Amino acid sequence: MKSFIHIIPTLHSGGGENLLALTCEIVEANHHIICLSKPGLISIRLLKSGAIIYYPFLLGFDNFKILLLLLKGFFNGRYVCQGWMYYGDLIAVLIQLLSVGRIKGRFFLLTNAFNNEISFGSRISRNICSFLSKIIKLKIFAISKTCLNSHISLGYDKNKFQLLFPPIEPKIKKNFEEIMKIKRERRKESKILKIIMAARFDPVKNHKLALKLFDYFNGEFILDLYGNGMNYGNLELKTLINKTLVNSNGDNLRLKGEVSDLLSKFVDYDYILLTSTQEGLPITIIEASQNALIPIASNVGDTINAASGYGFFFENNIFQDLVEKFKKAKLILDKDSYKNNNSKYYKISKSIYEESNSKWKLNQYLEIFMS
């Protein structure tokens, strides 16, 4: 059985972390994960998949275990060390160099290379990896065309790249009509528009724009914010909210934080909002699409592709364009939208559900990942 050593900075519930967990669930292999921080929400899911997790900066004894793992990989000669995100990439390629190629290193690039919101350390790691990609033999996976082209522009060796689209499967296992029925029942109880935004607290996710939209419409719709850092204990987020909300009291703004069952929440909303200034291929949009949830999203990276071309897309960080797209989204949502098969909302929901569920498959991912 093949053996993988995965290097990842965190195990919070971000797109890359969820993709790693899915990989460990569907790829039949020995999975060893080295996490450069403390346990996160994804840790439990990884352990259930049978993966072994090491925390070198948290548990001293784990460093000894990692050393034994690397020695085993060196003598075995069949281990693959894969980096997830730039710190992980750098460590993966250094392990290949130090093992004289006995442990194969490779990258899995998940975002736009020109993301200026990443840390200084991540930029240094990215640039070192770009340089090393030209002088050593390794494989580089890119999650989207935007991700691939931007890294080539930055200097990564274009001959080392291969596209590896993520396999996404809806976990709630409900068909389209069942989802519509749930939404219809909710709308009978309350006609208020409900929006979900699922993104960690990070400048690149541009929560300020989402809050500005909420305030512009006087808080007349529900906006639920999910993700790491989206909780009332985050003082930086609290300050941002207090500065941004001028016309509304925030009663309909709800901070939900990290949850382990995010997919099950999608059926309770009318739209999903994405205001990011940078994206590779937003996995949350794919998951939402597979559960008939239409996006209102910034046109960055491969977002439109993630939504199979359906939704309301606005120009990056252009607030007035977001307002106009939001008005159009509101316009097609009336009291009959969920039950009227001829309504525009119903038709878009059905199209995005059907196309997304036929688009992202496991077999191609498995074939390329194991190559």
Side-chain angles (χ1 to χ4, degrees):
M1 186 179 292
K2 206 160 190 173
S3 296
F4 292 94
I5 301 171
H6 305 278
I7 316 291
I8 192 165
T10 77
L11 288 175
H12 292 300
S13 56
E17 293 89 338
N18 275 294
L19 184 54
L20 170 59
L22 179 61
T23 300
C24 291
E25 289 167 352
I26 65 174
V27 174
E28 189 175 347
N30 298 312
H31 294 284
H32 302 268
I33 293 110
I34 298 176
C35 175
L36 306 180
S37 58
K38 60 184 180 180
L41 198 63
I42 301 298
S43 300
I44 299 173
R45 185 176 164 190
L46 285 167
L47 291 172
K48 286 182 178 178
S49 74
I52 302 173
I53 310 176
Y54 309 86
Y55 301 98
F57 297 105
L58 184 64
L59 302 172
F61 189 61
D62 274 13
N63 289 286
F64 178 70
K65 292 180 180 178
I66 292 170
L67 179 60
L68 292 178
L69 174 65
L70 295 177
L71 286 172
K72 183 177 180 180
F74 177 83
F75 289 111
N76 180 286
R78 293 187 177 182
Y79 276 63
V80 174
C81 186
Q82 178 155 311
W84 298 74
M85 295 171 254
Y86 294 125
Y87 286 122
D89 295 343
L90 180 57
I91 294 175
V93 72
L94 290 177
I95 287 175
Q96 174 169 317
L97 288 171
L98 292 173
S99 68
V100 202
R102 294 283 295 170
I103 300 175
K104 306 298 181 185
R106 69 186 191 191
F107 308 156
F108 199 166
L109 302 175
L110 306 170
T111 188
N112 190 320
F114 299 110
N115 178 2
N116 295 321
E117 302 293 345
I118 63 175
S119 68
F120 179 74
S122 292
R123 294 185 196 184
I124 295 296
S125 300
R126 178 189 62 192
N127 293 339
I128 294 174
C129 289
S130 174
F131 171 74
L132 292 176
S133 72
K134 299 175 182 177
I135 61 175
I136 65 173
K137 183 179 180 180
L138 52 78
K139 178 176 284 189
I140 305 173
F141 292 140
I143 200 171
S144 68
K145 291 180 181 178
T146 298
C147 179
L148 185 151
N149 292 332
S150 64
H151 282 89
I152 290 175
S153 297
L154 192 68
Y156 281 71
D157 187 343
K158 64 180 181 180
N159 297 315
K160 308 284 177 63
F161 273 95
Q162 186 166 6
L163 278 172
L164 182 57
F165 295 124
I168 310 296
E169 289 196 330
K171 300 296 189 300
I172 60 171
K173 303 299 182 186
K174 294 185 183 300
N175 63 38
F176 176 72
E177 292 301 335
E178 287 175 323
I179 293 173
M180 288 294 109
K181 182 179 179 181
I182 293 171
K183 292 188 176 190
R184 185 165 60 248
E185 292 301 317
R186 175 181 61 79
R187 292 284 289 185
K188 285 182 181 179
E189 297 178 7
S190 173
K191 297 296 189 294
I192 189 169
L193 178 67
K194 289 190 70 176
I195 307 287
I196 182 175
M197 182 172 176
R200 70 183 184 280
F201 186 65
D202 187 287
V204 75
K205 299 302 181 182
N206 204 9
H207 285 92
K208 182 178 180 179
L209 194 69
L211 294 170
K212 190 176 177 181
L213 179 73
F214 178 82
D215 190 61
Y216 180 87
F217 286 93
N218 302 306
E220 67 181 33
F221 61 89
I222 290 175
L223 177 60
D224 286 349
L225 303 177
Y226 289 84
N228 180 39
M230 306 311 299
N231 52 65
Y232 293 96
N234 185 340
L235 297 181
E236 191 176 349
L237 174 60
K238 187 176 180 180
T239 300
L240 178 62
I241 292 173
N242 291 336
K243 285 183 177 180
T244 309
L245 299 192
V246 177
N247 303 309
S248 57
N249 56 22
D251 287 348
N252 287 331
L253 178 68
R254 305 186 297 196
L255 306 183
K256 298 291 190 175
E258 282 189 287
V259 295
S260 59
D261 58 341
L262 180 63
L263 296 187
S264 68
K265 310 294 184 186
F266 288 152
V267 296
D268 197 39
Y269 295 91
D270 301 305
Y271 292 103
I272 183 169
L273 178 64
L274 182 141
T275 54
S276 300
T277 57
Q278 298 279 353
E279 284 288 350
L281 184 71
I283 294 174
T284 303
I285 296 298
I286 299 175
E287 293 173 330
S289 300
Q290 289 188 322
N291 290 286
L293 186 58
I294 304 170
I296 303 170
S298 53
N299 182 10
V300 294
D302 281 29
T303 298
I304 294 179
N305 183 38
S308 300
Y310 296 96
F312 299 86
F313 306 101
F314 62 93
E315 291 302 314
N316 183 16
N317 208 26
I318 304 299
F319 178 66
Q320 195 54 45
D321 194 27
L322 169 58
V323 169
E324 293 305 314
K325 296 303 191 298
F326 188 80
K327 287 179 179 178
K328 289 181 179 180
K330 283 181 64 183
L331 193 62
I332 69 167
L333 185 63
D334 57 40
K335 59 184 176 65
D336 295 323
S337 295
Y338 288 115
K339 62 182 178 181
N340 181 359
N341 292 9
N342 292 317
S343 74
K344 192 170 183 179
Y345 184 90
Y346 185 95
K347 289 179 178 179
I348 295 175
S349 297
K350 188 171 185 179
S351 295
I352 200 171
Y353 173 87
E354 291 178 346
E355 292 205 21
S356 186
N357 277 291
S358 65
K359 186 174 183 179
W360 311 96
K361 297 297 184 181
L362 295 178
N363 54 354
Q364 184 182 22
Y365 184 86
L366 287 170
E367 180 181 345
I368 295 175
F369 189 90
M370 295 297 285
S371 64

